Amino acid sequence: MKKRLKKNLWWCILRFLPVALLASAADAALLWGIRSFMGILQGETVFSLAQWLALMVVLSVLRFVFFLLKMNVSEKWLFGTGAYVMAWFLRTLRSLSPRVFHTPEGDAKVEAAYESTLVLQSNGGVFFQAVQAVLQLLVFLPVLLYISWPLTLFLFVVVVPLVSWMQRCLHKMGPAEEGVLTERSNFRGSLYLARKIFHRWSSRFERKEVSNNLVNQLRDLRDDGLEVSFRKGTLSLVMESVSVLAMIFVLAFCALLISEGWMDGTGLVLFCSAVLLCYKPVKECARVMPQARSAMSALHVLESFEALPSKKSDSSSVNFCCSPDTENLEIVHGDFSYEGAFETLFSNFSLCWNTKKPVLVRGRNGVGKSTLLRLLAGLEDWDHGKITCSLPFKNNVFFVAQDLELPPLHLLKKLLAQTNSVAVVEFARAARVDKIIDKEGMSGGERARVALAWALASDCAMVLLDEPFASVALVDREPLLTAFLDTAELLHKWVVLVSHDVLTRELEQRFEIVEMDHA
């Protein structure tokens, strides 16, 4: 990502240079116009006042056009790069190994990376402002030296070294900037958790403690952010003050030169005009140097995010095989543990399930039933193992989790509108899904019905259900499960169900029952 950004930036700077050079040339032409005006005041008849006025209007219009073209180039790059970085972030996020999210530190890195994409977009324009400042100096430096080399030498001997020293101070602020980005991401994660607790947890003690923790985090974020911002602002103001003081000393030195007869009024006006034309872009560059530091810090955070493990790299020790000659899903010597956990959840784990018959998985809490389904769905990665299946399950699985999150409902409406299966439509009608999806809010049981219909409408060959009926009324569970199994059988979908429900003997006989006592 960093290499592509650099390449894109250099390519855009090459496009930016000609129009920026024309803009600087327009400023130089305005300086020449000021020199012509001084000639008119001294009785030189190069132009009449009307001609000079018309020429200056034309130069001002050209300057406006060049600056507009320059802004168009830089803004297109800025917003295009912002969109590219955000798209890159989403692609990288989608391909991250599930292990990244096993610990709070992983979530914090993801949040910090998201925060950095926003920081990078809002501060990326500083590179073009720096280019414009350099061009402005290159154009006007010979003019300044010609008008008065002692004054120009003063500027570059005294002011430039001081600015360089301040840049080094800004560079040293990088770790503090990145620390604030991490704190912001931690606060966002805590805020998300608090929103869920405030919505679903009624006990006053926990709600108060969570709220107090948020307030404490907010205070720390305020203090650290204020410190970094104040230091950046102070350096920026110092740099701006140095520019103002330099102008004052230049004027004082000009007065000294005039008093000694080494400079006349025309030279003073020209030198001040040239410095003024240079001053604005250089001043802007100095003021946005803290922004450049922020952009570099954000880029470092994104580099760390890019280095996080992906699914492909994490699963290199797992052998997946899709064999049409077998009717079984087989896992041999499967190992899995959560990142940061003290114990291995699955060690040398093996199973063999027939894919022609639904499977009902039972077992105590904590033995790994939900994790097993997540592994089969590809939402977790095995550490080691060999997996063989007649179904291309690695990319063809529909998983209905306990803590159900539904995608936008218009996607389900699209699937139902495109389906040619009468059985899917009948199930959706029997489960009242056609009425539920038009509601503003849904209960847990209604969300489960929607998810079941979604599983049937999808093109997935394997359907994994983790306690899908926990929120469904008892009287509706078996009829709904029966209808689901009938429809799945018509659609040739293999169903794996994790459930603690006590089923009738007739319904149990439709399953291959697996008891998980330990991982």
Side-chain angles (χ1 to χ4, degrees):
M1 186 271 297
K2 184 178 179 180
K3 291 181 180 179
R4 180 166 180 177
L5 280 181
K6 283 186 175 180
K7 182 179 179 180
N8 196 324
L9 177 61
W10 281 113
W11 173 250
C12 194
I13 286 178
L14 290 177
R15 294 177 54 203
F16 179 81
L17 278 173
V19 290
L21 189 59
L22 287 173
S24 296
D27 279 339
L30 287 175
L31 182 63
W32 172 81
I34 295 173
R35 174 67 184 87
S36 300
F37 179 74
M38 299 300 296
I40 294 174
L41 293 179
Q42 294 172 1
E44 299 176 5
T45 57
V46 179
F47 298 108
S48 67
L49 184 59
Q51 289 174 331
W52 176 85
L53 183 60
L55 180 61
M56 293 301 285
V57 169
V58 171
L59 289 176
S60 298
V61 171
L62 286 175
R63 181 181 184 275
F64 172 79
V65 171
F66 295 148
F67 272 81
L68 189 65
L69 291 173
K70 182 188 71 170
M71 182 181 66
N72 181 58
V73 172
S74 61
E75 291 300 304
K76 278 187 175 179
W77 178 86
L78 186 60
F79 283 90
T81 299
Y84 162 74
V85 172
M86 184 59 71
W88 168 86
F89 169 77
L90 293 174
R91 290 194 301 269
T92 306
L93 180 63
R94 186 176 60 187
S95 64
L96 283 181
S97 168
R99 295 187 176 279
V100 173
F101 303 97
H102 289 176
T103 60
E105 290 78 8
D107 283 324
K109 288 180 180 179
V110 173
E111 288 292 336
Y114 172 72
E115 189 77 27
S116 297
T117 61
L118 303 180
V119 171
L120 192 62
Q121 180 174 356
S122 61
N123 293 283
V126 299
F127 302 110
F128 297 95
Q129 294 180 11
V131 169
Q132 181 63 58
V134 171
L135 282 178
Q136 205 81 340
L137 288 175
L138 290 177
V139 169
F140 283 92
L141 183 59
V143 177
L144 293 172
L145 287 171
Y146 174 76
I147 297 172
S148 177
W149 66 265
L151 287 175
T152 306
L153 190 63
F154 167 77
L155 290 175
F156 285 90
V157 169
V158 176
V159 177
V160 172
L162 184 58
V163 171
S164 299
W165 174 75
M166 292 181 181
Q167 284 180 319
R168 290 193 295 272
C169 291
L170 285 170
H171 183 72
K172 292 178 181 179
M173 291 180 61
E177 289 262 12
E178 293 161 24
V180 170
L181 286 175
T182 301
E183 284 189 52
R184 288 179 184 171
S185 66
N186 290 335
F187 180 77
R188 287 165 64 95
S190 299
L191 181 59
Y192 176 72
L193 175 62
R195 286 171 55 191
K196 293 196 297 184
I197 289 177
F198 293 162
H199 182 62
R200 300 175 182 175
W201 195 269
S202 63
S203 175
R204 294 174 57 187
F205 172 76
E206 289 80 5
R207 289 166 64 94
K208 182 179 178 181
E209 288 299 311
V210 169
S211 179
N212 290 340
N213 180 57
L214 270 179
V215 172
N216 290 333
Q217 287 189 40
L218 185 60
R219 287 172 181 164
D220 293 340
L221 184 59
R222 177 201 62 192
D223 295 340
D224 295 341
L226 178 61
E227 180 183 356
V228 172
S229 179
F230 184 77
R231 289 170 59 190
K232 288 198 308 181
T234 301
L235 286 172
S236 180
L237 286 174
V238 169
M239 296 176 76
E240 184 177 351
S241 300
V242 166
S243 300
V244 174
L245 287 174
M247 181 69 68
I248 293 173
F249 282 113
V250 164
L251 291 175
F253 199 53
C254 283
L256 178 62
L257 294 177
I258 291 174
S259 67
E260 296 294 331
W262 296 342
M263 178 182 282
D264 57 11
T266 300
L268 173 61
V269 171
L270 290 177
F271 194 89
C272 290
S273 300
V275 172
L276 183 63
L277 289 171
C278 290
Y279 173 69
K280 185 177 184 299
V282 174
K283 174 187 172 184
E284 289 179 349
C285 184
R287 292 182 66 181
V288 298
M289 282 180 183
Q291 292 178 283
R293 180 60 261 176
S294 296
M296 296 306 297
S297 296
L299 193 59
H300 291 156
V301 173
L302 291 176
E303 284 185 285
S304 300
F305 176 70
E306 189 175 26
L308 292 175
S310 63
K311 290 182 179 180
K312 182 178 180 180
S313 63
D314 247 16
S315 302
S316 57
S317 59
V318 180
N319 180 19
F320 292 98
C321 177
C322 178
S323 174
D325 300 328
T326 181
E327 293 185 350
N328 298 326
L329 164 66
E330 187 172 4
I331 300 175
V332 180
H333 305 308
D335 293 337
F336 173 80
S337 61
Y338 283 103
E339 198 73 23
F342 295 104
E343 298 181 356
T344 300
L345 184 59
F346 293 111
S347 179
N348 201 26
F349 179 80
S350 298
L351 64 79
C352 183
W353 295 344
N354 191 298
T355 59
K356 299 301 180 181
K357 187 176 182 179
V359 174
L360 174 61
V361 181
R362 288 173 170 167
R364 296 178 293 104
N365 293 330
V367 298
K369 302 186 298 300
S370 298
T371 300
L372 178 59
L373 293 196
R374 290 181 57 81
L375 286 163
L376 295 178
L379 299 176
E380 298 289 351
D381 290 324
W382 292 93
D383 298 331
H384 300 281
K386 179 180 179 182
I387 305 174
T388 306
C389 186
S390 61
L391 304 172
F393 73 95
K394 192 179 179 184
N395 298 307
N396 198 19
V397 179
F398 196 102
F399 176 49
V400 179
Q402 292 186 50
D403 49 345
L404 190 58
E405 292 289 345
L406 293 176
L409 292 177
H410 70 85
L411 299 177
L412 174 59
K413 293 179 181 179
K414 184 177 180 180
L415 281 177
L416 292 175
Q418 293 177 348
T419 185
N420 296 321
S421 173
V422 177
V424 173
V425 175
E426 289 180 350
F427 177 85
R429 187 180 298 113
R432 303 192 300 277
V433 171
D434 53 339
K435 295 184 175 67
I436 294 173
I437 57 177
D438 292 324
K439 293 179 59 177
E440 288 294 329
M442 290 183 289
S443 66
E446 290 172 333
R447 292 167 65 85
R449 292 171 184 268
V450 168
L452 292 172
W454 213 318
L456 295 173
S458 73
D459 60 354
C460 297
M462 181 189 296
V463 178
L464 308 176
L465 307 177
D466 189 9
E467 296 284 353
F469 304 102
S471 300
V472 177
L474 287 174
V475 68
D476 294 332
R477 292 184 184 182
E478 286 211 2
L480 191 60
L481 175 57
T482 300
F484 182 86
L485 292 175
D486 291 341
T487 308
E489 186 176 354
L490 289 174
L491 299 173
H492 305 290
K493 294 179 182 288
W494 182 46
V495 177
V496 178
L497 170 65
V498 169
S499 178
H500 294 285
D501 290 342
V502 178
L503 306 180
T504 62
R505 182 175 181 83
E506 181 182 0
L507 192 53
E508 279 190 348
Q509 290 178 347
R510 300 187 62 170
F511 290 96
E512 175 186 347
I513 300 178
V514 176
E515 294 287 345
M516 287 185 61
D517 293 330
H518 56 82

